[in-house]
Amino acid sequence: MSKDISKEWDYRVVRQTTEDGDEWLSIQEIYYDDETKKPMAHTTDLEITGDTIAGMRTQLQRMLWCLDKEIVDEIKSEVAEDNMEDRILSLEMENAEMRDRLTELGDIIKDTPNNMELGGKVRGL
């Protein structure tokens, strides 16, 4: 029995409104909440891709079907609201933390002559 993926996602027309109040529509993949079945997220950069022409044709047909469904308003994302400077700062902090942990792990490995003792020390990080 095949799984009904339409309960997890489908294509829908998404209405996006700019800060100036202008609206524009796009076809996007919409992902639904498992419990409420309401839209919870959507793509922002949809492409038509596939391994075969038949697969691409199926993808396009599903997009055509979405034109007969109710339009979904854009789903705001906290990530999309972060400005680029905040995102870069966050990534730099994550990278610094990872470098510190890797340095610490390297020091533990150098200081442990017996591999049997290494597991407990690494798990303690």
Side-chain angles (χ1 to χ4, degrees), residues 58-120:
T58 299
Q59 188 176 9
L60 287 167
Q61 183 61 52
R62 288 179 178 157
M63 289 180 181
L64 287 172
W65 290 334
C66 86
L67 297 175
D68 296 326
K69 295 180 181 181
E70 184 179 332
I71 294 175
V72 175
D73 288 324
E74 179 180 22
I75 300 166
K76 298 293 183 184
S77 166
E78 291 176 16
V79 172
E81 291 176 9
D82 289 345
N83 66 37
M84 189 57 73
E85 188 174 300
D86 290 343
R87 288 187 205 175
I88 291 170
L89 179 60
S90 175
L91 288 172
E92 286 175 346
M93 290 176 66
E94 286 178 31
N95 286 341
E97 289 173 9
M98 185 61 73
R99 267 193 310 273
D100 291 345
R101 284 191 286 192
L102 288 172
T103 300
E104 195 175 322
L105 179 59
D107 291 343
I108 289 173
I109 291 171
K110 285 183 214 170
D111 294 342
T112 305
N114 180 341
N115 285 339
M116 298 297 285
E117 299 171 12
L118 186 59

Side-chain angles (χ1 to χ4, degrees), residues 11-15 25-28 30 63 66-73:
Y11 293 107
R12 296 293 289 271
V13 175
V14 175
R15 178 185 304 112
L25 305 173
S26 64
I27 294 176
Q28 301 295 335
I30 298 288
M63 289 180 181
C66 86
L67 297 175
D68 296 326
K69 295 180 181 181
E70 184 179 332
I71 294 175
V72 175
D73 288 324

